[in-house]
Amino acid sequence: RALAAGACGGQEGERVLGTALGRGALARGICLAGANPIFVDVNPNTLNLDTYCLEYVIRRLSREKRAIPKALVAADLFGLPCNYTAIAEICARYGIELIEDCTGALGASQRGRRAGGFGRFSVLSFGERNPLGELGRDGAVFCRTRGDALRIQRARGDACAQERIG
């Protein structure tokens, strides 16, 4: 999350939008990028990011003449992907980069697209409290473009990442 948030512009002092319900790792990842999280409430029926609340937070920031965050980390929960059709539309309208945390819906799909295929970046965490816990305590970042993959590689300083790009 930190690498993806940083690659989307979540630098020191910037703000990044994030889902209010989920693991503390979401806020931690945003903070590790040097950014400050702004939490968006969830829909009580799905427990995923509420698109009406997302729109409200963005409009409120705009009315208050505060900078619109450059990125949004939307976390899928309980096997259900967020409403990415609406979220992507809102993000495009305001110039916000979408980062999908698909750990909670790995293997699920929405409108024929698999979880992990909606954002500019998709992240998976391999923590002990999720289905991928046996893989260790790290994670993975999936990128749509080679340029983004190289940006993540540079941020990590990982020479081995070059072999995985392509």
Side-chain angles (χ1 to χ4, degrees), residues 6-44:
C8 287
Q11 305 297 325
E12 191 71 37
E14 294 283 339
R15 294 189 198 119
V16 173
L17 296 161
T19 305
L21 179 65
R23 299 172 303 280
L26 186 138
R28 183 170 173 253
I30 292 171
C31 292
L32 283 173
N36 300 310
I38 295 179
F39 296 106
V40 178
D41 210 347
V42 297
N43 180 306

Side-chain angles (χ1 to χ4, degrees), residues 48-108:
N48 281 330
L49 185 99
D50 189 305
T51 55
Y52 296 106
C53 292
L54 175 61
E55 188 88 41
Y56 172 81
V57 167
I58 295 168
R59 286 183 180 177
R60 183 170 178 181
L61 290 170
S62 182
R63 275 194 315 273
E64 294 174 357
K65 308 261 189 263
R66 295 166 68 190
I68 303 292
K70 295 181 180 180
L72 162 69
V73 181
D76 300 334
L77 287 175
F78 308 117
L80 181 66
C82 294
N83 181 356
Y84 286 108
T85 303
I87 291 171
E89 182 182 303
I90 293 168
C91 287
R93 191 175 329 128
Y94 293 100
I96 298 170
E97 296 292 344
L98 175 58
I99 302 167
E100 178 188 4
D101 181 343
C102 60
T103 305
L106 193 60

Side-chain angles (χ1 to χ4, degrees), residues 142-160:
F142 301 98
C143 307
R144 289 201 175 270
T145 68
R146 182 173 179 77
D148 281 343
L150 292 171
R151 190 173 289 112
I152 294 292
Q153 176 191 352
R154 281 193 299 274
R156 280 197 69 204
D158 183 357
C160 298

Side-chain angles (χ1 to χ4, degrees), residues 67 72 110-111 113 126 140 152 164:
L72 162 69
Q110 181 183 86
R111 298 181 189 194
R113 291 177 67 188
F126 302 156
I152 294 292
R164 296 186 293 269

